[in-house]
Amino acid sequence: MERDFLMWMVFGLSAGALLGLYDFWTKKAMDGNGVIPIVFWSSLFGAFAWIPAFLPVSDAFGFHVDLSQTNVHQQILILIKGLAMTLSWVFAYYSVRELPMSFSGAVRASGPLWTLVGGALIFGEYLSALQLSAVLLSILAYYALSQIGKKEGIRILRSWPVLMMLAATVLSAMTTVYDKFIVQNLGLPIYSIQAYSAIHRCALAMLFFVVMSWKRGGFMPLRWSVYVPLVGLSWVGAELIYFFAIADPVANVTYLSIFRRTSLVVGFLLSVLLIGEKNVLPKGAIILLIVASTAALILDR
């Protein structure tokens, strides 16, 4: 049991670190670009990463996706996941483009709470008093970080980017709980679910891209940078790591949600070093509280 816990904990933290790079690369990719083009092109590169899995040669490496293994019902369940994720990306990318990285991350403070509610209702995952305190400390720390954002001219109740990130957070939390359901109930290999989901997301993003381009009377332009494919590829990598974690029946989705919040630490450091984040010291102190809450969860397992 101890070794199993350590394994999926490492998976969750690794996914969080990679998601921190994903957040930073998303911020850079959004520079001079619209939301829909980045959602489409990054999802396209993410889908490309899985094309080899559908080829016979992948069977020799143990990750071949056999199209005959799934039925329509299973594909629909995976499609629901893809739709929720694509909508979450649309909302989140708009927010990331308009807000400082530390603040867009702060709005995600409600993420563990939504995941906690979903995990408790669906999987019966209830936390001890100390564990619940650690979750609340993390949420309060994110909230305090958002208060600092007011000094940078951001008003929570009047900001569309904030509301967009809140919508993205709720969708992401719902997807986190749904991920565990489909992994443990579809009876498909993790890489098959991941591959199909990537294809579904690309198709949905393409549909959004075509419709929006048709409405504007021409294809939506893209300002190319290396960050565009990195966004799609880093998400594929982070999600694959995370899926291996939730495949474990003892994995607690609330814990994993907290562990993945290490993405804020990575994204914040990159923003400080490469973008010029403001109010570094108070934000850094609050992020230390987030790290402390994560440590409390680990120690009280």
Side-chain angles (χ1 to χ4, degrees), residues 103-174:
F103 194 69
S104 59
V107 179
R108 294 175 183 172
S110 60
L113 178 60
W114 291 109
T115 305
L116 172 63
V117 172
L121 293 177
I122 298 176
F123 299 111
E125 297 176 349
Y126 296 99
L127 305 180
S128 68
L130 179 58
Q131 293 163 350
L132 182 58
S133 297
V135 173
L136 293 177
L137 176 61
S138 175
I139 294 173
L140 290 174
Y142 277 100
Y143 175 75
L145 193 60
S146 71
Q147 294 301 105
I148 295 177
K150 288 184 177 181
K151 298 179 181 179
E152 300 175 19
I154 301 171
R155 293 292 182 266
I156 295 177
L157 298 180
R158 303 177 184 177
S159 173
W160 275 108
V162 171
L163 296 177
M164 290 285 191
M165 183 56 79
L166 180 60
T169 299
V170 174
L171 282 171
S172 179
M174 292 170 58

